Amino acid sequence: MLAEWAVGLMEELGGVGAAVVVGLDNLFPPIPSELVLPLAGFSASKGVFSLPAALFWTTLGSVAGAVIVYFAGMLLGRDRTRRLVARIPLVNVSDFDKTEAWFTRHGTKAVFFGRMVPLFRSFISLPAGVERMNFPVFLALTTLGSLIWNTVFVSAGYLLGENWHRVESYAGVFQKLVLAAVAVALALFVVTRLRRRSKGDPEATQVLPRVRR
């Protein structure tokens, strides 16, 4: 069972174990962060490590996994990356295509918000690498987005203790709230750009942002 394996690894390796478990969410998308992050909080409540340590190690694991995926996309290119994604069990190529389209439209915003959307959080680093997005910018946005997402679920697991599994039942609701917030933010961005464009602002001729390389 995934939960037993994850808790056992954290108990044996401490914070490093938490980083490994969370990092696998990036490398193998079918492992849900909504499950493993509350487990890190649960382990912290048992005294395996402190809550700040849990947040540090899980965020480090998230960022490390994302960086690996970023460089994989950069080295492989789009076509080979797409073929590789097709071989991952329980993952559809369409998942990568949707993420790539989102990244193309929204660039840096997609990287930040993508770290807080299940499944997209695992794939968003691939098109960022393929397009050779500015790495320091990618690293900063990935770290911030991961920290926010991890804090919510690790803290929930810590507070619930033995009842950590209840977090998963609310994850779907949280996911919808995040998606709604992303939709509102992007709508405001587009409306603002269109208004500037209608007023003749030369810098607003592009509605969608270009990816920073």
Side-chain angles (χ1 to χ4, degrees), residues 2-213:
L2 176 61
E4 295 177 352
W5 171 79
V7 171
L9 189 64
M10 292 179 198
E11 290 179 344
E12 183 176 350
L13 300 179
V16 175
V20 170
V21 171
V22 176
L24 289 175
D25 170 43
N26 294 269
L27 304 176
F28 191 67
I31 296 179
S33 62
E34 305 96 294
L35 172 63
V36 297
L37 288 172
L39 286 174
F42 168 62
S43 297
S45 72
K46 292 177 59 180
V48 176
F49 33 67
S50 66
L51 179 59
L55 295 175
F56 170 79
W57 286 106
T58 55
T59 300
L60 179 63
S62 294
V63 174
V67 168
I68 292 174
V69 174
Y70 171 92
F71 281 109
M74 185 178 69
L75 294 174
L76 294 175
R78 182 184 183 278
D79 293 337
R80 284 188 292 178
T81 295
R82 198 170 183 275
R83 288 196 295 269
L84 180 63
V85 169
R87 297 180 181 179
I88 301 177
L90 305 179
V91 174
N92 297 320
V93 176
S94 61
D95 296 326
F96 169 74
D97 292 338
K98 292 176 183 177
T99 307
E100 183 182 36
W102 193 31
F103 177 83
T104 300
R105 289 195 300 270
H106 307 302
T108 56
K109 296 178 181 63
V111 174
F112 173 71
F113 287 113
R115 297 305 303 172
M116 294 176 276
V117 179
L119 194 59
F120 275 74
R121 60 181 278 107
S122 300
F123 283 118
I124 195 62
S125 301
L126 279 174
V130 169
E131 295 297 329
R132 297 178 182 271
M133 177 183 179
N134 181 282
F135 183 70
V137 173
F138 168 81
L139 190 62
L141 293 174
T142 297
T143 300
L144 182 58
S146 297
L147 179 60
I148 293 172
W149 178 260
N150 292 1
T151 297
V152 170
F153 284 94
V154 172
S155 298
Y158 181 84
L159 294 174
L160 289 171
E162 296 286 349
N163 297 314
W164 62 268
H165 55 277
R166 292 185 180 178
V167 177
E168 191 174 12
S169 63
Y170 296 104
V173 176
F174 181 72
Q175 176 183 351
K176 292 178 181 178
L177 291 175
V178 170
L179 288 173
V182 171
V184 170
L186 292 177
L188 290 174
F189 172 82
V190 172
V191 169
T192 301
R193 279 297 180 87
L194 288 174
R195 286 180 176 176
R196 289 173 56 190
R197 186 178 184 182
S198 66
K199 293 178 181 179
D201 187 343
E203 294 183 359
T205 54
Q206 279 192 316
V207 175
L208 299 178
R210 297 180 62 187
V211 178
R212 295 180 65 181
R213 296 176 181 273

